[in-house]
Amino acid sequence: MLNLVERPRRNRKNAWTRAMARETHLGPEHFIYPLFIHEGQGRQPIKSMPGCSRLCMSSLIDEAGAALADGIGSIVLFPALGDDKKTPHGEESYNPDGLVQTALRKLKSAWPDLTLITDVALDPFSSDGHDGIVSAEGDILNDETVDVLVKQAVSQAEAGADIISPSDMMDGRIGAIRQGLDQAGFTHVSILAYTAKYASAFYGPFRDALDSAPRFGDKKTYQMDPANVREALREVELDVSEGADMVMVKPAGPFLDVIKAVRESTVLPVAAYQVSGEYAMLKAAAQNGWLDERKAVLESLLGIRRAGADVILTYYARQAAAWLREG
Ligand code: PBG
C-alpha cells in the first residue's frame, strides 16, 4: 500500500465527480458555422470536404435555419464565383447585387436573429487568386488593396452583415475598415479580425471549394510565417489599436500555443478557425475507420477551447452540436 495523501484519481472516479472537476466547456454557442455559396442551383458537394457543399440560395436559407435550430447563432459566408466574375481588382466584391450581398439580404429577412458574418478579402473575386491586388511585378499592393476592402466591407454592411471579418492580412485594413464603416453610418457593425492568419498548408480544401488557389506564387508576403508567435502578438496590438472587436487565430489545431498567447495578451474575445484541412484530416481518418469521428472531433474542439478560444469557426458546427445534444 502506497502512503499517498494526494490521489488525483479521486476526482475522476465517476461521471458526476468528473463533471465537477471539468475546467472547459463546449457547446453550440461556441461555434461559428462557415458556409460556401454558389450562383448555381442546388447543393454542390465539395470533394475534399466530405459532408460540405456549395449551397444555392434556398439551400443556404435551409442550412442557416437548421443551424439556428441547433443553437448555432452565427454563420460566415464564402462565395464561389465563376471565372467570368473574377478580375485583377476584384470589383465584384462590392457589387451591391453580388452573391454575398444577395445572400445577406435573404438571410436577414428569413432569420433576423441569426448573426451574419462576412469574409473580407479579394481572393474569391481575384483573377489572380490572391487576397490583394497584384502589381505588374507580381507584388501584392497593400494600400490599393485596402481601398477595395473598405468598399467591400461597406457594401456587406449595407446588405445586412452584423460582423465584418477581414481575412486578407493587409497592413492597416482594420483601421481603414472601421473608419469606412463609421463614416457610412455602420458604427454598430463589428469587426472580427483575422489577426494571426498563417500561410498554412491546411487551406488546400477551402481553395478547392472556391476554386481560389493563387494562380502564381504563394501568400507568404502577407500571411504569417508558421514559425512565429511573437509576431502574432504584434498583430494583436495593431488590430486592437485599430478598432477590432474580436481577434482570430487561424488555423487552430496546429497553433494552439498561439491561441494561448493571444488569449493572454488581450481582453477581447478570441476566435480560432478549425480550417478546411483540419476538417479533411478528421473526415478522412474517420471514413477509413481509423478514428472515432465523434470522439476525435469533440476532443479537437475542446482542445481549441482549452487553449483559450471563446469561439470556434468549424465545418463540424452542426454535427458537433448534435453530438453534444446526445450527451
Ligand atoms: C481567404 C480565406 C482562406 C480561408 C478563409 N478565408 C484561404 C486562404 O487564405 O487562402 C481558409 C479557410 C479554410 O481553409 O477553411 N482570404
Side-chain angles (χ1 to χ4, degrees):
M1 185 81 147
L2 296 171
N3 180 19
L4 296 182
V5 174
E6 297 258 12
R7 288 184 183 266
R9 287 186 53 195
R10 277 196 289 266
N11 281 352
R12 304 178 203 135
K13 67 182 161 199
N14 59 38
W16 286 114
T17 315
R18 287 195 294 276
M20 283 191 264
R22 190 154 302 133
E23 300 171 36
T24 310
H25 293 270
L26 186 64
E29 68 276 20
H30 301 127
F31 302 146
I32 294 173
Y33 190 27
L35 293 172
F36 299 104
I37 51 178
H38 71 138
E39 301 164 305
Q41 290 305 307
R43 290 178 182 249
Q44 213 176 68
I46 299 161
K47 265 206 193 72
S48 49
M49 300 178 71
C52 296
S53 301
R54 295 179 204 91
L55 306 173
C56 68
M57 284 300 155
S58 69
S59 48
L60 170 66
I61 302 295
D62 293 348
E63 192 67 22
L68 205 51
D70 284 337
I72 299 156
S74 56
I75 61 168
V76 56
L77 296 177
F78 294 102
L81 298 178
D83 281 342
D84 55 315
K85 297 270 167 62
K86 301 186 183 189
T87 54
H89 288 231
E91 284 87 352
E92 181 65 16
S93 64
Y94 52 90
N95 175 358
D97 298 315
L99 184 59
V100 170
Q101 289 84 349
T102 306
L104 288 169
R105 281 191 293 266
K106 296 214 156 119
L107 284 164
K108 252 296 148 248
S109 72
W111 311 113
D113 289 342
L114 189 65
T115 292
L116 303 178
I117 308 180
T118 49
D119 194 76
V120 166
L122 295 190
D123 51 322
F125 312 95
S126 156
S127 43
D128 295 304
H130 275 286
D131 291 21
I133 297 170
V134 183
S135 76
E137 293 75 35
D139 298 323
I140 310 301
L141 298 170
N142 193 85
D143 301 17
E144 292 81 345
T145 298
V146 171
D147 287 342
V148 183
L149 299 177
V150 172
K151 291 186 197 171
Q152 183 183 8
V154 170
S155 104
Q156 293 172 346
E158 280 166 351
D162 298 296
I163 302 180
I164 303 288
S165 196
S167 71
D168 54 284
M169 290 303 278
M170 296 300 119
D171 292 333
R173 90 276 207 215
I174 301 301
I177 289 172
R178 185 67 273 160
Q179 197 182 359
L181 289 172
D182 290 354
Q183 280 169 358
F186 296 108
T187 51
H188 56 286
V189 172
S190 330
I191 299 180
L192 163 57
Y194 282 69
T195 295
K197 176 172 178 180
Y198 288 87
S200 168
F202 290 95
Y203 307 147
F206 175 97
R207 293 177 189 171
D208 290 346
L210 299 190
D211 186 27
S212 64
R215 305 292 190 255
F216 69 90
D218 52 41
K219 299 192 176 185
K220 290 181 185 168
T221 68
Y222 45 107
Q223 298 180 349
M224 282 177 50
D225 184 339
N228 295 353
V229 61
R230 292 196 306 268
E231 190 182 359
L233 302 184
R234 184 183 190 198
E235 291 284 2
V236 170
E237 224 171 89
L238 287 169
D239 285 358
V240 171
S241 72
E242 291 174 32
D245 299 288
M246 304 179 191
V247 295
M248 192 197 301
V249 175
K250 176 183 174 186
F255 295 87
L256 295 178
D257 58 323
V258 180
I259 296 173
K260 185 166 201 287
V262 168
R263 166 71 293 152
E264 287 167 356
S265 78
T266 177
V267 297
L268 294 185
V270 175
Y273 199 145
Q274 183 179 55
V275 299
S276 58
E278 299 176 75
Y279 175 86
M281 284 196 299
L282 288 160
K283 260 297 172 209
Q287 288 188 340
N288 277 293
W290 298 335
L291 278 179
D292 178 324
E293 187 175 27
R294 179 183 190 280
K295 289 183 180 157
V297 169
L298 292 178
E299 186 175 320
S300 74
L301 295 169
L302 191 67
I304 295 165
R305 288 267 303 141
R306 193 190 59 243
D310 298 292
V311 284
I312 306 172
L313 292 87
T314 175
Y315 303 99
Y316 271 115
R318 281 197 62 206
Q319 177 69 76
W323 283 326
L324 291 168
R325 227 175 11 246
E326 289 162 13

